Amino acid sequence: MSQAATAPANDAGQGRAPVKLVVANKENTPFVPGRRVFFKYRDLGVADATQGRMRAQVMSAISGMTEPTGWHIHECEAQFVYVLRGWVELEFEDGTRTRSGPGDAILIPGGMKHNEIATSDDVEILEVSVPGPMATKPCDPPAGMRG
């Protein structure tokens, strides 16, 4: 696992446990089970360092998507996606459709319906969620949109 050290309390008076320093690299961060079979997930140690208040992982393609994920939501406050390599195409309940490539970022509010349509065969994404635990729930397509 990644190296961690406790930093001085940065939430003084709020009753939260301190955030720990984490230095993560490819040699000390394990692959963990994830929600999609076409990705492998590397845990960056942020959930442990924040007592679950935040999670960060790198998602790397095993193969490109062969079909859309289907409409779904995430039970969290927010999901942040930063594309490191390749591209990902998504559509959202408000009609937004984007093909995001290296250097592009998306902040998805928790509970917002979205559908991952396609990825490149080499896509790699940094994903951060707040709080750390993030359930994925299938849902019906928004009115007037296909599944």
Side-chain angles (χ1 to χ4, degrees), residues 25-26 33 35 57 72 102 111 129:
N25 57 52
K26 286 184 179 181
R35 58 190 183 279
Q57 62 185 11
H72 60 280
S129 63

Side-chain angles (χ1 to χ4, degrees), residues 29-41:
T29 52
F31 286 102
V32 296
R35 58 190 183 279
R36 307 282 180 221
V37 297
F38 46 84
F39 282 133
K40 56 184 179 178
Y41 298 82

Side-chain angles (χ1 to χ4, degrees), residues 14 18 25-26 28 41 47 52 70-71 79 88-89 101 105 131 133 143 146:
Q14 295 184 17
N25 57 52
K26 286 184 179 181
N28 70 8
Y41 298 82
W71 287 93
Q79 174 191 21
V88 60
E89 190 170 337
R146 295 187 341 219

